[in-house]
Amino acid sequence: MSHNRNGTLSVVPLQEFVLDGFQGGLQTQALLFALFLALYLAAVLGNLTMIVVITLDARLHSPMYFFLKNLSFLDLCYSSVIYPKALGNILSSAKVISFGGCATQFFFFSLMITTEGFLLAVMAYDHFLAICSPLHYPITMCPSACTRLVLGCYCGGCLNCILQTSFTFSLPFCSSNHIDHFFCDVPPLLLLACADTAINELVLFGICGLIIVGTTLGVLISYAYITVTILRMRSGAGRHKLFSTCGSHMTAVSLFYGTLFVMYAQPGAVESMEQGKVVSVFYTLVIPVLNPLIYSLRNKEVKEALWRLGHKHTAP
């Protein structure tokens, strides 16, 4: 902000932001660096493994694993949008990110995280069709239909990220250029604006709330029908297998939507930055680490595919 000759104030466009990250001394920063690096490498390794295994094993070329491969891709992408820069900032004293870099980081993060929310709902719909309408399933969920569903998820994510990015980065920032966070996100950016952010907060809570509530309802309705269908089955082994498969997805859905609701879809989320940082670490890094474990450790077909792939490359 600068003073004009007549004594009034004018807003000078910011060229860069400073990502404050987590507070603490040298020992705390070293511990955070080690923790983030270990979790990020685990996320990259786990999700890349899922993508490679599903791509190479012909037995996993089904709609469920097609969606799972896309889920791993999204987890890999949105953690990679944030953590290389966050790790570099921990080692740096400047912790600077350009205005354009901040907008770009937020755009792709918002795109990936929103797309994943839609994709989890699509995966629940896929389970519903596979269990409740098995005869029509091969026709309904043909490869072209699966591709269209994934593209639809990306379109929904793109619409949200365009709205959120344009609304947020069109604001005048003048109070400070220090973002009280370790990456560029809407809540800490709104605190830096020197204009009324009521509309922005309404857009944030409205769109995020609508997406979270809408997709959650879709998941719950799908699983209500699935539960009724499974309970009607006479085969105990069949019930156990289906509950195990659906349980993995419900675990991933609960973790993902629960943390997003805490961060974006409740009043007061914008002001609670310290809580927001911890919650953000969970859904941007811990969940991408957990998802491959959830879907591989509880899935016999994935474990068998991993064994076949490993055996193929170790056999003389």
Side-chain angles (χ1 to χ4, degrees):
M1 193 181 302
S2 64
H3 290 271
N4 294 326
R5 292 181 179 180
N6 59 7
T8 61
L9 295 174
S10 64
V11 177
V12 178
L14 290 177
Q15 300 300 314
E16 60 185 28
F17 290 105
V18 177
L19 293 166
D20 288 339
F22 289 90
Q23 303 302 313
L26 186 61
Q27 187 175 3
T28 302
Q29 296 301 312
L31 181 62
L32 285 173
F33 180 84
L35 177 63
F36 285 177
L37 180 61
L39 288 173
Y40 176 63
L41 291 176
V44 171
L45 180 62
N47 287 290
L48 276 178
T49 300
M50 292 295 290
I51 292 170
V52 170
V53 168
I54 293 171
T55 301
L56 296 181
D57 196 307
R59 301 183 193 185
L60 300 183
H61 291 178
S62 65
M64 183 178 78
Y65 293 107
F66 174 74
F67 295 132
L68 183 55
K69 183 168 72 170
N70 279 276
L71 179 69
S72 294
F73 174 75
L74 290 169
D75 281 342
L76 178 64
C77 285
Y78 76 71
S79 59
S80 297
V81 165
I82 294 170
Y83 283 93
K85 180 65 176 177
L87 288 167
N89 282 344
I90 292 176
L91 299 177
S92 170
S93 57
K95 305 182 187 300
V96 169
I97 185 171
S98 67
F99 185 90
C102 187
T104 302
Q105 184 187 61
F106 173 73
F107 178 90
F108 284 105
F109 163 71
S110 179
L111 170 63
M112 300 300 171
I113 205 80
T114 309
T115 302
E116 180 159 329
F118 286 120
L119 183 62
L120 288 170
V122 167
M123 291 172 72
Y125 176 67
D126 173 66
H127 289 158
F128 159 73
L129 289 177
I131 295 170
C132 300
S133 185
L135 296 179
H136 297 93
Y137 179 75
I139 299 173
T140 307
M141 297 301 287
C142 61
S144 61
C146 293
T147 302
R148 287 195 297 270
L149 285 169
V150 171
L151 288 176
C153 293
Y154 276 97
C155 288
C158 193
L159 178 61
N160 178 57
C161 73
I162 289 172
L163 287 173
Q164 298 287 3
T165 305
S166 59
F167 268 85
T168 301
F169 287 89
S170 62
L171 288 169
F173 299 101
C174 56
S175 60
S176 171
N177 70 332
H178 283 257
I179 299 175
D180 187 16
H181 216 297
F182 61 92
F183 71 97
C184 293
D185 200 6
V186 172
L189 282 166
L190 293 184
L191 296 178
L192 303 184
C194 54
D196 185 10
T197 61
I199 294 178
N200 297 77
E201 292 183 32
L202 183 63
V203 169
L204 172 65
F205 297 138
I207 294 179
C208 291
L210 182 63
I211 291 172
I212 293 171
V213 171
T215 51
T216 301
L217 281 176
V219 170
L220 292 176
I221 292 171
S222 295
Y223 277 104
Y225 280 103
I226 289 170
T227 302
V228 172
T229 302
I230 292 176
L231 292 177
R232 287 176 178 173
M233 296 176 65
R234 295 183 178 181
S235 170
R239 285 200 302 267
H240 176 75
K241 180 181 178 180
L242 291 176
F243 271 126
S244 178
T245 301
C246 296
S248 299
H249 185 248
M250 282 302 295
T251 302
V253 167
S254 301
L255 291 172
F256 184 80
Y257 286 141
T259 50
L260 286 188
F261 180 83
V262 170
M263 188 65 194
Y264 299 108
Q266 62 165 336
V270 171
E271 289 82 6
S272 182
M273 284 299 102
E274 290 307 313
Q275 178 195 30
K277 291 178 190 178
V278 176
V279 175
S280 295
V281 170
F282 192 83
Y283 74 79
T284 60
L285 191 56
V286 176
I287 288 179
V289 173
L290 291 177
N291 276 346
L293 297 175
I294 290 170
Y295 284 104
S296 62
L297 293 179
R298 299 188 62 179
N299 191 306
K300 183 180 178 181
E301 292 177 328
V302 172
K303 287 188 285 188
E304 289 176 351
L306 283 167
W307 183 86
R308 286 193 296 270
L309 186 64
H311 183 72
K312 179 180 178 181
H313 286 82
T314 57

